[in-house]
Each structure stands twice: as C-alpha cells, then as structure tokens.
Amino acid sequence: MSGDPRRKTKKQSSRDGHALWFTRDTLTEAFVIGGCALCNAVHAAERKAIHSFLHEGMMFPHVRQQFLDGGGFCLRHFWMAKEIEDMCWQTGGFGLAILSEDLTRLAHSGLDELASPQSNPRPALRKRRQQAHGFLPGHDCMFCQDNREKETFLTDVLEELAEQDEFRKPLANHGLCIRHGQLAADLREFIRKRDYQYRQEPPGREHDSLLRAMYFFVGPNPCRKQEKKPVS
C-alpha cells in the first residue's frame, strides 16, 4: 500500500511552502547587497556549496565520484575553491591537492588506454581515442549544474513574489542584470515582432538582441575578423 495520496500531497505542499519562505529570506538578503538579486543569491549559494564540499562532502565516495564524473571543477569554480580553501583552512591547498591527484589519475588512465597495444589496432585505436577524449576538465562541473538549478528556482520564485511590495520596490530600484532581466525581455520582443501580426512595428532596442545573446554566451564569431561588439 502506498498510503493516502492526500497525505503525500499535504507533505509536499508543506515542503514547498518551507522552501518558498526560505527563498524569500534569501532574496531579501540579496536585494540588500544591491545590484542583481539573482546574481547575488546564486553567488552566495555557490560559495556555500563549495565550502561544504571541501569541508566534508569530498570525503563521501558517491559525492567524490560525482565530482570526478563531471571532470572536476570548471575554470571559475576551481579558482573559487582555491580562494575559499586559502581563506578558511591554513593547509596550503591540501584538499584541492587530493582532488587534483584524483583528476590526474583519471586523465592518465585515458592516455594509458590510448597507448596500450591491441591486436587489431585501427578500430581499437579509434575506440581508445574516444575514451581518452571522454575526460575533459570541468566538462560537467557539479557546481555549474547546481547554479543552473538554483537560478531557475530563484527566478520562478521571484516572478511569484514580484507583485508584493516587499519585492516590487527593491526590484524596481535595483533591477536585474542583462542576463537575468533586459536581455530576455529584448529577445521576447524580437521574437514577437517576427510574428506577421506585428512586423509593421518599428524596431527598437531588441533589434540586435540575438547578437547580444550570442556574444554573452559564446563571445565573438571566430570565423570572422574582430567585429564591433553590440551595445548592451
């Protein structure tokens, strides 16, 4: 018997309510800092997550394996982890050295497979090359994944709270960064004006929003000479 489904729904509702109130406090504190509240909240959360990982999380085998499966830290989070470890523990980078040794061993195992002799070299070489190339540092950084999930959740909650005075006023005063606010709005307007019903409307600041989005996510076109960056 799975139990009364109404009891499960009530329990889930209670859990969601608790998360909502916790997130209200998080966003309130983020607005106090000034600037984009979503950036502030995600930045604070990622630092706490990395601190917790270095303090105890890395000692749990399943957490360490998740870290290794993702290729370790991405560039940004590796340097952030170094800063946090230097600030909180006077060990000269002991924890990161352990993690780096694991990553080095993982990278070497791929290279060893690539170099090992096989009776049928061509197909085997292709397979081993694919396996070796499977290790890319930070290719699926667990903290980047956490950031994406937190960002999505915080955005959804802020949309629900935006009509309340407690959040409407600071949101109007500080706004959001281009990534979390204006760029998304400009892209929606760009898409709307491509609809045949609205094509007669004159272009506005949304006209180069696609180019601005591409610059934001991947940078300039590497196949062309350096061109002028779109104005944000």
Side-chain angles (χ1 to χ4, degrees):
M1 294 290 289
S2 58
D4 187 347
R6 292 173 296 179
R7 185 176 302 172
K8 183 182 296 185
T9 301
K10 184 177 180 180
K11 183 178 180 181
Q12 181 65 45
S13 176
S14 174
R15 193 161 52 234
D16 292 344
H18 176 75
L20 178 60
W21 279 104
F22 176 78
T23 307
R24 287 177 65 99
D25 292 342
T26 297
L27 289 171
T28 299
E29 293 172 2
F31 274 119
V32 170
I33 298 173
C36 178
L38 292 179
C39 286
N40 293 339
V42 171
H43 183 63
E46 70 183 344
R47 293 187 69 86
K48 288 180 181 178
I50 291 175
H51 181 280
S52 177
F53 174 73
L54 294 175
H55 178 61
E56 58 182 358
M58 61 177 281
M59 304 310 295
F60 292 92
H62 69 283
V63 177
R64 179 90 69 92
Q65 191 59 51
Q66 181 185 356
F67 172 81
L68 295 175
D69 289 345
F73 296 109
C74 66
L75 173 65
R76 179 171 178 273
H77 287 132
F78 215 144
W79 285 105
M80 185 179 292
K82 180 67 165 63
E83 176 187 330
I84 291 172
E85 186 173 41
D86 289 345
M87 184 186 306
C88 299
W89 299 283
Q90 302 299 317
T91 59
F94 178 73
L96 287 180
I98 293 175
L99 296 172
S100 295
E101 183 186 22
D102 286 345
L103 291 170
T104 302
R105 189 182 307 114
L106 192 62
H108 282 174
S109 67
L111 294 174
D112 290 342
E113 288 184 18
L114 181 61
S116 64
Q118 296 286 336
S119 57
N120 191 3
R122 287 191 176 180
L125 179 61
R126 187 181 305 115
K127 180 179 179 182
R128 295 199 305 277
R129 185 182 294 115
Q130 291 171 349
Q131 292 173 339
H133 287 178
F135 177 77
L136 295 173
H139 66 87
D140 194 16
C141 171
M142 60 191 286
F143 299 100
C144 289
Q145 177 64 28
D146 283 348
N147 279 2
R148 288 189 289 268
E149 293 174 358
K150 287 170 185 146
E151 192 173 66
T152 298
F153 177 70
L154 287 168
T155 301
D156 291 343
V157 172
L158 185 57
E159 287 181 354
E160 292 183 22
L161 300 175
E163 296 304 316
Q164 301 179 19
D165 285 344
E166 179 184 351
F167 295 95
R168 182 174 66 247
K169 292 179 179 179
L171 187 57
N173 291 335
H174 299 290
L176 297 175
C177 66
I178 290 177
R179 178 164 179 254
H180 291 128
Q182 189 60 54
L183 180 56
D186 287 348
L187 285 166
R188 286 194 294 271
E189 182 66 0
F190 179 90
I191 294 168
R192 186 186 72 83
K193 287 185 178 179
R194 264 52 192 177
D195 189 298
Y196 75 94
Q197 301 178 70
Y198 310 107
R199 287 177 185 172
Q200 75 281 3
E201 296 184 18
R205 61 165 287 128
E206 83 289 336
H207 76 281
D208 65 346
S209 58
L210 174 58
L211 288 178
R212 282 188 279 127
M214 294 176 71
Y215 264 86
F216 178 83
F217 287 114
V218 297
N221 185 350
C223 302
R224 295 184 180 179
K225 292 182 179 179
Q226 189 68 32
E227 51 192 14
K228 188 176 179 181
K229 181 179 179 180
V231 178
S232 297

